[in-house]
Amino acid sequence: MDDHEQYIINSRLIDAAKRGEEDLLEQCILDKEFKVNINAKDAIGESAMHWAAKNGHDNIIRILFKYRANLNILDNAGETAAHKAAYKDRLDVIKALVETNRVDLTIKNKNGLTPLNLAKDEACRKLLVPKPIITSDDEDSDDPEDSDNE
């Protein structure tokens, strides 16, 4: 497959995310013949994750996360999906991102702003206060069975 064909395939994914078309998005992701790059960016440097956040499609965010899309991918302005959602005060999207426990709310865009700096709505701002990110090494740290203190 050449670069132009890959661009077309990736564009279908990004367009589905823009429009909030959940079924089409999953079709694109699961298509075995035409493998999509779930983190592909469009001509202005935005991924499906960015577009879903900007347009308020929290279910698209959940689907992309389910298939391991990068929640912290940067666009040309150095912004993540959390920046896009915060700027537009998309509370449901911010909730979806924060619920993953994998979104980095400390990332600053090219203007030195975090998602918290961009949000105006108080409910959004409360969710955007950075918390520790859970990594696969941290997930079982509270399990007493893992303790070496027996």
Side-chain angles (χ1 to χ4, degrees):
M1 176 178 331
D2 68 21
D3 288 345
H4 179 70
E5 289 172 319
Q6 188 64 54
Y7 177 81
I8 299 296
I9 292 165
N10 294 339
S11 293
R12 285 182 56 225
L13 175 87
I14 292 169
D15 289 343
K18 279 183 190 180
R19 294 189 303 266
E21 295 179 8
E22 297 170 32
D23 292 339
L24 179 58
L25 184 88
E26 279 204 274
Q27 274 182 337
C28 291
I29 293 168
L30 297 174
D31 190 324
K32 294 193 185 322
E33 184 179 353
F34 300 107
K35 300 258 186 232
V36 71
N37 175 354
I38 200 164
N39 295 309
K41 297 179 183 180
D42 63 13
I44 60 171
E46 295 191 345
S47 68
M49 187 70 72
H50 289 107
W51 280 107
K54 200 165 28 174
N55 291 342
H57 302 305
D58 53 302
N59 286 338
I60 297 292
I61 296 290
R62 288 183 183 92
I63 293 168
L64 290 168
F65 177 68
K66 173 181 162 184
Y67 291 104
R68 302 184 171 269
N70 183 348
L71 292 170
N72 300 307
I73 192 168
L74 301 178
D75 68 3
N76 293 346
E79 293 190 335
T80 64
H83 286 91
K84 303 300 183 187
Y87 182 76
K88 292 203 166 192
D89 287 319
R90 302 281 194 192
L91 183 61
D92 290 340
V93 171
I94 293 168
K95 282 180 183 175
L97 290 166
V98 171
E99 286 170 0
T100 67
N101 291 320
R102 299 269 199 280
V103 66
D104 186 348
L105 299 173
T106 65
I107 295 174
K108 294 179 179 178
N109 65 14
K110 288 186 178 178
N111 294 322
L113 302 173
T114 66
L116 178 60
N117 301 134
L118 295 172
K120 297 160 280 312
D121 178 74
E122 192 58 36
C124 292
R125 291 179 57 77
K126 284 181 183 177
L127 288 174
L128 291 168
V129 174
K131 296 167 190 65
I133 298 171
I134 296 174
T135 63
S136 57
D137 294 338
D138 298 335
E139 286 181 11
D140 297 326
S141 64
D142 293 335
D143 186 352
E145 296 291 320
D146 289 343
S147 175
D148 291 332
N149 303 328
E150 293 186 16

